């Protein structure tokens, strides 16, 4: 991708796409909360960790499609606003903290990759890397520390794997599937696939 394209301004289409993905995530989070409660009753924190990657996917998918610095900041900010209006079982502070953690890590990962690597490995790296910072913050917010080191370690590993698969890998699969429909031809993913 050319340097001028990487640092191009966000278009109205970019903003609309991020808002749509954030809204879809807000609706999905309502249902994920129900699944999360069921998993918690079946297997506690380790079981609930299996679906963690799904909570983060909308921002990474936006980044994969748009490919401009700052995409994570805008997408995850939209997500936090939407979830604040819809409501969540985790509280307003958790919504904001999670969004900030995700955006910081995603922006760092793609800056380190110089906004040039968009293969499955880079997306899986980003999906897994977004987990630990939020896990540390959440551990302090929600009292995870009483679980003990063994459960904390297993939970963190499961969450990272969920981030790698249900955020990183699934982002690649969904992004490429959407691109094949022709809907993304005006975004950087669509342009890159035609080049």
């Amino acid at each position: 991708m050319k340097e001028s394209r990487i640092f191009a301004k966000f278009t109205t289409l970019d903003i609309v796409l991020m808002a749509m993905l954030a809204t879809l995530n807000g609706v999905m989070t309502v249902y994920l909360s129900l699944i999360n409660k069921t998993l918690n009753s079946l297997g506690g924190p380790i079981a609930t960790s299996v679906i963690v990657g799904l909570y983060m996917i909308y921002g990474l998918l936006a980044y994969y499609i748009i490919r401009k610095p700052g995409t994570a900041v805008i997408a995850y900010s939209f997500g936090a606003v939407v979830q604040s209006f819809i409501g969540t079982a985790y509280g307003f502070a958790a919504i904001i903290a999670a969004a900030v953690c995700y955006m910081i890590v995603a922006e760092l990962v793609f800056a380190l990759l110089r906004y040039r690597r968009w293969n499955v490995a880079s997306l899986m790296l980003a999906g897994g890397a977004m987990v630990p910072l939020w896990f540390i913050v959440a551990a302090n917010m929600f009292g995870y520390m009483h679980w003990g080191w063994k459960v904390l370690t297993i939970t963190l590993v499961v969450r990272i794997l969920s981030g790698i698969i249900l955020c990183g890998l699934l982002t690649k699969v969904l992004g490429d599937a959407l691109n094949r429909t022709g809907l993304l031809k005006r975004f950087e993913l669509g342009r890159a696939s035609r080049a």
Side-chain angles (χ1 to χ4, degrees), residues 3-25:
E3 202 75 21
S4 60
R5 285 202 98 100
I6 293 171
F7 294 101
K9 292 180 182 177
F10 289 102
T11 66
T12 303
L13 275 176
D14 294 338
I15 302 296
V16 168
L17 176 72
M18 288 185 273
M20 287 174 55
L21 290 172
T23 303
L24 286 170
N25 177 73

Side-chain angles (χ1 to χ4, degrees), residues 20-96:
M20 287 174 55
L21 290 172
T23 303
L24 286 170
N25 177 73
V27 172
M28 183 178 73
T29 299
V30 172
Y31 296 101
L32 285 178
S33 296
L34 298 173
I35 295 168
N36 208 13
K37 288 179 184 179
T38 304
L39 288 171
N40 190 45
S41 65
L42 296 172
I46 296 170
T48 62
S49 298
V50 172
I51 62 169
V52 161
L54 294 174
Y55 287 98
M56 308 179 297
I57 193 169
Y58 70 102
L60 190 59
L61 182 58
Y63 226 135
Y64 180 52
I65 294 168
I66 296 169
R67 303 182 180 192
K68 295 176 185 174
T71 300
V73 173
I74 297 170
Y76 286 119
S77 295
F78 280 167
V81 170
V82 170
Q83 285 183 37
S84 297
F85 284 120
I86 292 176
T88 179
Y90 310 109
F92 180 73
I95 293 168
I96 301 303

Side-chain angles (χ1 to χ4, degrees), residues 36 88-98 134-147 152 159:
N36 208 13
T88 179
Y90 310 109
F92 180 73
I95 293 168
I96 301 303
W134 168 236
F135 184 76
I136 292 166
V137 172
N140 289 295
M141 285 181 92
F142 299 119
Y144 296 174
M145 300 313 264
H146 77 274
W147 293 345
L152 275 172
R159 288 183 181 207

Side-chain angles (χ1 to χ4, degrees), residues 1 5 64-67 116 118 172 175-195:
M1 190 177 4
R5 285 202 98 100
Y64 180 52
I65 294 168
I66 296 169
R67 303 182 180 192
R116 297 190 193 293
W118 301 101
K172 179 73 170 153
D176 290 350
L178 282 170
N179 192 36
R180 283 191 296 273
T181 67
L183 293 172
L184 304 179
K185 62 185 175 185
R186 294 174 71 187
F187 296 96
E188 198 55 45
L189 173 58
R191 291 187 194 100
S193 65
R194 292 193 307 271

Side-chain angles (χ1 to χ4, degrees), residues 103-159:
M103 68 177 69
I104 288 170
V105 176
E107 292 296 344
L108 278 173
V109 167
F110 290 114
L112 289 171
L113 296 172
R114 301 179 66 197
Y115 311 102
R116 297 190 193 293
R117 295 190 55 207
W118 301 101
N119 57 20
V120 70
S122 60
L123 294 170
M124 290 171 77
L125 170 67
M130 285 193 285
V131 173
L133 180 59
W134 168 236
F135 184 76
I136 292 166
V137 172
N140 289 295
M141 285 181 92
F142 299 119
Y144 296 174
M145 300 313 264
H146 77 274
W147 293 345
W149 288 107
K150 184 178 178 182
V151 173
L152 275 172
T153 303
I154 294 169
T155 301
L156 178 58
V157 169
V158 171
R159 288 183 181 207

